Amino acid sequence: MQLLVRPDPFPDESLESYLLRLAEANFIESYGLLSGAVRDWLWQHNHDAAGAFPLELSRVNIYHANQSSGLRVRALKLVETLTDIDRLPLLKLALLHSASRFCNGHNAVFRNGVDIPRCFIRREGVPVCPSCLEESPYIRQHWHWSAYQACTAHGCELLHRCPACDKSLDYLRHELLSKCSCGLDLAEASVSPASEDKLQLSRLVTGDVFDSRNPLLQTQSLSVRNGVLLWHFLHTGSAKAGDIELDSSGLASAIGYFEDWPASLMQELEAAASNADQKLLKDFNKTAFQHIFGDILLASRWLPVSDLSKNFVMATVMEFLSSLVDSHPKSKRANVADLLLTVPEAAAVLSTTHEQVYRLYQEGYLELAFKPQLHQKLAAYKPAFYLRQVVELLQTRMQSDAGMANVYLPVR
């Protein structure tokens, strides 16, 4: 098998869009026919990789693979060699699995040096900009992101449904780049001006530089911008943990929320501390930190970095906790600074690993709030360590500015 024509990829083009253009350039009617021919060729040249190459366009990207992502990469590398001239740029355009994690354990995908929460990928259709299609008929990768709500190049709303048949636009299903399945040329569809909020949010996730005191807009890292947007979405109750599709309308309020930073979060945390007595079922020194403050620590630590110089959300949380402990000194009667942290929460405060927290407990630097059972390892998610002791340990041992896990004790 040989693909004689190699179209040049656009830097912002999706892998699926390029494969459709590749098929069209080589006079192959659909991706289905192209993938079938590629699968047959792979069976002859690499039996294992052949089974990892999807026949459906919607499944071809690498991040869809579970156990066989390595084989999927191998298959795409082999397909890259099917031209006489330069190799096909398939891996460069692909969305890869990322080792990074966002708040509450959300998975990430990786492309061109940027981590994106997987839950930011649209699952029900991919909208288009008719003006962009008129200029160049290919699908932009950022049209796949739920946070990208308006075309920044033309200042217009994205088109989600066909104006002729009202069907949801989904080129992954219909294998059409610039037309609806009903035959309408989407490049000829009319567009509506987008609101400034939607345009600003779209510019934020595509890397624009802003002259603003808003810390979200000041952040240069696209990965951190994505992480802060996800944090806000989860923090305001618009979504739960797990890989779910996010409603893009819930992202629009994020920029406004950070205009009053850090007061916006500080007021919430101070209100929770002030009302803690009303939520108590047991004494403070027997109450979980999460019962009063929720999952603020676990949600804020990875955005997707833990370095406080870049993770301004976690830096604000730590500023609050330090102030909370300082303003509530140890007394005969337990107070809000004596709440109990789990191993992951203690690791978040100390900016270290779970293993280091266990070592700190074993070496006597951290005291358990209960008597452990003999020969039984402390459960990771059981409230066990006093907030006061963990914060004081951080204050005495200091934290590195390097952003790496803080090693309080040497490895044995």
Side-chain angles (χ1 to χ4, degrees):
M1 178 184 179
Q2 198 73 27
L3 298 172
L4 300 179
V5 183
R6 177 198 182 275
D8 291 330
F10 294 93
D12 59 346
E13 185 171 14
S14 70
L15 172 64
E16 297 88 348
S17 171
Y18 182 75
L19 287 172
L20 287 177
R21 292 200 303 116
L22 180 66
E24 181 181 0
N26 287 275
F27 305 100
I28 302 174
E29 294 181 1
S30 67
Y31 172 79
L33 293 176
L34 173 65
S35 62
V38 169
R39 175 78 70 90
D40 291 340
W41 180 81
L42 286 173
W43 280 120
Q44 300 174 19
H45 293 79
N46 194 303
H47 186 273
D48 292 336
F53 189 80
L55 297 176
E56 304 85 9
L57 181 65
S58 61
R59 301 294 301 174
V60 72
N61 225 310
I62 291 175
Y63 79 94
H64 289 296
N66 294 322
Q67 301 300 323
S68 60
S69 59
L71 291 176
R72 183 77 59 90
V73 170
R74 186 195 304 177
L76 286 180
K77 282 185 175 180
L78 289 170
V79 176
E80 286 182 334
T81 66
L82 291 178
T83 56
D84 287 330
I85 50 178
D86 295 340
R87 292 170 62 97
L88 296 169
L90 303 185
L91 287 180
K92 183 178 180 180
L93 298 176
L95 293 176
L96 307 172
H97 289 292
S98 173
S100 297
R101 290 292 182 270
F102 286 94
C103 48
N104 287 338
H106 276 266
N107 293 325
V109 295
F110 182 84
R111 173 173 159 142
N112 291 339
V114 178
D115 288 303
I116 305 104
R118 184 167 175 170
C119 56
F120 275 17
I121 301 176
R122 288 187 164 105
R123 295 184 181 179
E124 299 297 329
V126 178
V128 302
C129 170
S131 299
C132 287
L133 289 178
E134 185 178 13
E135 294 175 357
S136 298
Y138 71 94
I139 302 298
R140 282 68 172 168
Q141 181 63 65
H142 47 256
W143 292 349
H144 286 258
W145 311 143
S146 57
Y148 191 82
Q149 300 182 15
C151 177
T152 57
H154 300 99
C156 62
E157 295 274 359
L158 297 180
L159 193 64
H160 289 260
R161 308 187 74 86
C162 174
C165 67
D166 198 40
K167 290 182 180 179
S168 176
L169 298 179
D170 190 354
Y171 82 101
L172 297 175
R173 182 157 51 98
H174 302 301
E175 299 188 8
L176 298 170
L177 292 176
S178 59
K179 290 186 177 181
C180 175
S181 58
C182 71
L184 177 71
D185 187 350
L186 297 174
E188 298 177 355
S190 60
V191 295
S192 302
S195 67
E196 184 57 34
D197 288 343
K198 287 186 176 181
L199 286 170
Q200 190 176 41
L201 181 60
S202 299
R203 289 195 293 266
L204 181 74
V205 297
T206 50
D208 278 21
V209 178
F210 298 88
D211 182 15
S212 173
R213 299 182 63 182
N214 185 320
L216 175 57
L217 299 180
Q218 283 181 340
T219 299
Q220 299 298 309
S221 168
L222 277 177
S223 299
V224 175
R225 288 182 179 184
N226 286 320
V228 174
L229 286 175
L230 178 59
W231 177 88
H232 172 265
F233 201 94
L234 297 171
H235 180 68
T236 55
S238 303
K240 304 299 181 182
D243 276 346
I244 56 176
E245 184 174 13
L246 304 183
D247 178 9
S248 58
S249 62
L251 296 170
S253 61
I255 296 176
Y257 178 86
F258 291 101
E259 288 290 347
D260 194 27
W261 189 267
S264 51
L265 180 60
M266 282 292 194
Q267 290 171 2
E268 296 175 19
L269 296 176
E270 289 168 358
S274 299
N275 298 326
D277 288 331
Q278 303 175 19
K279 300 181 69 174
L280 285 183
L281 300 176
K282 296 178 286 187
D283 291 338
F284 278 110
N285 59 357
K286 297 180 180 179
T287 299
F289 177 87
Q290 282 197 10
H291 184 69
I292 304 299
F293 294 102
D295 62 354
I296 188 68
L297 280 173
L298 300 183
S300 304
R301 183 180 184 186
W302 300 111
L303 297 182
V305 297
S306 60
D307 183 354
L308 298 188
S309 66
K310 298 177 181 177
N311 186 341
F312 64 87
V313 175
M314 190 63 182
T316 298
V317 173
M318 291 307 305
E319 180 183 348
F320 168 78
L321 292 181
S322 296
S323 175
L324 183 72
V325 170
D326 292 343
S327 60
H328 292 81
K330 182 72 174 178
S331 63
K332 291 183 178 180
R333 183 177 180 181
N335 57 52
V336 69
D338 297 306
L339 291 169
L340 301 182
L341 300 176
T342 63
V343 171
E345 289 172 335
V349 172
L350 297 173
S351 189
T352 191
T353 63
H354 294 189
E355 289 74 17
Q356 278 284 307
V357 173
Y358 283 116
R359 288 286 313 281
L360 289 168
Y361 149 62
Q362 292 167 356
E363 298 291 338
Y365 290 92
L366 290 176
E367 176 186 352
L368 279 185
F370 54 86
K371 186 176 180 180
Q373 295 184 6
L374 189 63
H375 305 305
Q376 186 171 352
K377 185 177 181 179
L378 174 65
Y381 289 91
K382 182 173 183 178
F385 303 109
Y386 297 107
L387 171 65
R388 180 188 311 282
Q389 286 191 2
V390 176
V391 171
E392 288 175 346
L393 178 61
L394 173 69
Q395 292 172 336
T396 56
R397 299 296 287 251
M398 302 303 291
Q399 178 170 280
S400 170
D401 290 332
M404 303 298 290
N406 204 343
V407 180
Y408 290 82
L409 295 172
V411 179
R412 290 173 176 170

